[in-house]
């Protein structure tokens, strides 16, 4: 009988050990990045993601970080592979049309070559609070071209064969408002990638070529698990449509349509019928659309399947070229990553609700509620996405005040926010009554009110201000979100110069309810009243 080890096969116990070790490396990368970062957006909110790829550019392990970052990472690695990487290099890229998502998400890709031969790549992606552009925070709501959104970096060497490329570093720092913060955060990303090479080197010393065989094995394992889950879904074609509430240039609705086809062990997702690319910044690079679909497929199959390239292989995705979900340069895209990705998630889940109604929640808040406050002198830039209501599930209530869909960040603690910025938090609380009523209640949105203590620019990129998160199966819709400056309502997407003492209030949407409200358990309704979750 042949020895399985001689054929590159790995027994299940060894495979599980190696899989966990690789995922541990990816998670440790994240810890190094978060501990080493300077900006509150990375250190406190953890708006960053880390992963390990093999030498062919396939993701083999990731930390449980930001869905919109991770699903789009393979495109960044593919771009770097075209640049003939060598040991000791560190590439930096943020170009949404060549491996990036939007310009604030800066990605570092480093070859892993502990013994002088490239065996894989370490990748870290972090949202930098400012990368230049026409407004502090690099997310101008009225942008019409990507040139207004900040410094655009194709895949270039930040480190060349172990030697820092000071010219590239200086170019980056000369084009951002908070250069010391940017430099510190880039150093933290480099440290995270270096830790991956160190740890993978230790695993190679321990396991030898078996580790490289495990790269293939973990991908095959996840693909087979996902294919098995897809086979359990009913074959058929399922459709849904929704809309975005204007693009920052006009208020006209922007259609997002999807057709999902389940056929055996494969899923096809087609966005024909979605709007052409728009003048404003809600255009989403195709990598972002793909990332949203991958997230949904993982959610409706088995979220415990190890996330890697194998999870993507049974899924095919298409969008019309030149559309909202596959725009051509120089389209503005910064809002596409944060807001359009949420709507792609919503419509794909809605389409699959017909196939697997017991697995799909009612509509969540459907927005990241992006808030940016900064001064034009470059002294500070505060960025945050604010949590809201999660939709009720078929068997339980939705969650209150959580991030929904394509983001997975924490909040900025009040103490950290007030220490780092000239801001004062006046109110941070759940919004009673904001979850849609139903057999199971939708999660509550939040209210966050901040006083700006210096002259500054406030930029808001938000959604679900006129189209509520949908209830399901007779459940009521969640509450709309609201944006207020000094108590006056302002548009969902706006940029305003404000004077010291101005208050900014963000009231985030609640989640939709699930099931007939008349069927809600009376004890649960009484608990809601006692807890202040519904208005008397």
């Amino acid at each position: 009988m042949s020895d399985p080890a001689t054929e590159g096969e790995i027994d299940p116990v060894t495979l599980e050990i190696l899989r966990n070790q690789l995922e541990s490396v990816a998670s440790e990368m994240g810890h190094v990045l978060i501990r080493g970062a300077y900006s509150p957006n990375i250190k406190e909110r953890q708006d960053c993601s880390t992963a390990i790829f093999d030498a062919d550019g396939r993701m083999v392990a990731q930390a449980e970080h930001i869905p919109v970052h991770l699903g789009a990472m393979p495109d960044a690695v593919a771009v770097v592979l075209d640049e003939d990487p060598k040991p000791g290099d560190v590439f930096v890229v943020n170009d949404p049309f060549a491996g990036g998502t939007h310009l604030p998400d800066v990605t570092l890709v480093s070859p892993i070559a502990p013994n002088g031969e490239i065996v894989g790549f370490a990748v870290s992606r972090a949202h930098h609070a400012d990368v230049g552009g026409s407004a502090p925070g690099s997310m101008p709501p009225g942008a019409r071209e990507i040139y207004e959104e900040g410094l655009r970096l194709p895949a270039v060497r930040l480190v060349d064969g172990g030697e820092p490329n000071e010219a590239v570093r200086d170019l980056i720092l000369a084009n951002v408002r908070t250069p010391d913060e940017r430099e510190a955060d880039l150093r933290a990303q480099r440290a995270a990638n270096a830790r991956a090479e160190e740890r993978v080197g230790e695993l190679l010393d321990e396991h030898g070529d078996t580790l490289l065989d495990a790269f293939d094995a973990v991908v095959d394992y996840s693909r087979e698990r996902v294919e098995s889950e897809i086979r359990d879904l009913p074959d058929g074609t399922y459709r849904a449509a929704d809309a975005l509430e204007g693009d920052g240039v006009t208020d006209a609705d922007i259609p997002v349509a999807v057709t999902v086809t389940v056929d055996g062990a494969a899923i096809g997702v087609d966005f024909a019928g979605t709007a052409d690319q728009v003048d404003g910044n809600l255009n989403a690079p195709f990598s972002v659309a793909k990332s949203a679909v991958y997230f949904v497929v993982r959610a409706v199959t088995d979220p415990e399947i190890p996330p890697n390239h194998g999870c993507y292989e049974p899924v095919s995705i298409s969008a019309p070229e030149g559309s909202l979900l596959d725009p051509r340069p120089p389209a503005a895209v910064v809002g596409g990553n944060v807001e359009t990705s949420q709507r792609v998630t919503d419509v794909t889940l809605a389409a699959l609700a017909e196939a697997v109604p017991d697995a799909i929640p009612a509509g969540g808040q459907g927005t990241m509620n992006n808030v940016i406050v900064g001064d034009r002198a470059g002294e500070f830039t505060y960025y945050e996405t604010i949590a809201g209501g999660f939709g009720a599930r078929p068997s339980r209530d939705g969650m209150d005040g959580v991030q929904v869909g394509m983001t997975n960040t924490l909040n900025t603690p009040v103490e950290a926010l007030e220490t780092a910025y000239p801001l004062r938090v006046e109110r941070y609380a759940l919004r009673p009554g904001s979850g849609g009523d139903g057999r199971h209640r939708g999660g509550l949105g939040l209210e966050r009110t901040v006083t700006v203590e210096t002259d500054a620019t406030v930029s808001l990129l938000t959604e679900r201000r006129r189209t509520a998160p949908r209830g399901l199966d007779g459940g009521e819709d969640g509450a709309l979100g609201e944006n207020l400056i000094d108590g006056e309502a302002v548009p969902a997407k706006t940029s305003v110069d404000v004077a010291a003492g101005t208050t900014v209030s963000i009231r985030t949407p609640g989640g939709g309810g699930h099931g007939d409200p008349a069927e809600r358990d009376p004890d649960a309704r009484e608990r809601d009243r006692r807890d202040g979750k519904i208005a008397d």
Side-chain angles (χ1 to χ4, degrees), residues 239-475:
R239 296 179 174 85
D242 205 332
L244 293 158
E245 301 167 342
D247 64 356
V249 175
T250 77
D251 288 333
D253 282 351
I254 305 165
V256 180
V258 70
T259 300
V260 179
T261 302
V262 180
D263 184 6
I267 287 181
V269 180
D270 182 7
F271 290 100
T274 294
D276 293 340
Q277 69 184 68
V278 295
D279 291 335
N281 69 14
L282 289 194
N283 301 293
F286 189 48
S287 60
V288 170
K290 291 191 295 183
S291 193
V293 172
Y294 295 148
F295 167 79
V296 170
V297 171
R298 190 174 177 210
V300 301
T301 53
D302 182 355
E304 298 301 317
I305 296 172
N308 58 49
H309 186 82
C311 297
Y312 309 156
E313 290 183 350
V315 185
S316 61
I317 305 162
S318 61
E321 185 175 348
S323 72
L324 182 77
L325 304 182
D326 190 12
R328 303 296 88 194
V333 299
V334 72
N337 182 68
V338 290
E339 294 302 301
T340 306
S341 66
Q342 296 284 72
R343 198 61 68 253
V344 172
T345 301
D346 288 348
V347 296
T348 309
L349 282 168
L352 285 168
E354 183 181 348
V356 281
D358 293 339
I360 304 297
Q365 69 162 343
T367 176
M368 295 192 196
N369 302 295
N370 301 270
V371 182
I372 309 99
V373 184
D375 68 330
R376 294 190 179 276
E379 296 296 325
F380 79 100
T381 305
Y382 158 69
Y383 170 68
E384 182 135 34
T385 59
I386 301 179
F390 192 93
R393 284 134 321 159
S395 59
R396 67 185 70 181
D397 290 347
M399 294 176 283
D400 304 320
V402 296
Q403 299 286 4
V404 173
M406 295 305 291
T407 189
N408 188 31
T409 54
L410 304 179
N411 69 173
T412 306
V414 172
E415 299 83 356
L417 188 154
E418 294 184 340
T419 298
Y421 308 114
L423 304 172
R424 185 174 70 251
V425 178
E426 307 289 354
R427 179 175 176 78
Y428 189 33
L430 294 171
R431 294 178 65 196
S434 55
D437 201 0
R439 182 186 313 112
H440 301 290
R441 177 185 51 78
L444 302 184
L446 293 173
E447 178 176 348
R448 189 160 191 158
T449 298
V450 176
T451 295
V452 184
E453 297 184 322
T454 186
D455 294 351
T457 299
V458 176
S459 297
L460 306 175
L461 269 175
T462 63
E463 278 281 319
R464 296 298 189 204
R465 268 51 184 176
R466 65 176 186 242
T467 305
R470 295 173 180 169
L472 269 185
D473 193 29

Side-chain angles (χ1 to χ4, degrees), residues 199-216:
R199 291 290 185 251
V200 171
E202 293 169 356
L203 293 177
L204 279 170
D205 289 342
E206 180 181 356
H207 300 290
D209 287 346
T210 302
L211 178 68
L212 305 184
D213 293 334
F215 289 175
D216 290 327

Side-chain angles (χ1 to χ4, degrees), residues 145-201:
E145 295 181 318
I146 194 169
Y147 310 119
E148 301 174 64
E149 298 178 337
L151 179 65
R152 181 176 166 195
L153 296 164
V156 293
R157 286 177 171 87
L158 187 63
V159 178
D160 189 348
E163 294 295 323
N165 188 336
E166 295 183 0
V168 170
R169 182 203 64 189
D170 292 347
L171 177 66
I172 294 170
L173 300 182
N175 283 278
V176 300
R177 291 181 177 83
T178 46
D180 291 344
E181 189 175 88
R182 299 288 67 72
E183 185 171 24
D185 289 348
L186 286 170
R187 281 201 304 266
Q189 287 185 256
R190 285 178 55 188
N193 288 17
R195 180 63 60 86
E197 183 170 59
E198 177 186 347
R199 291 290 185 251
V200 171

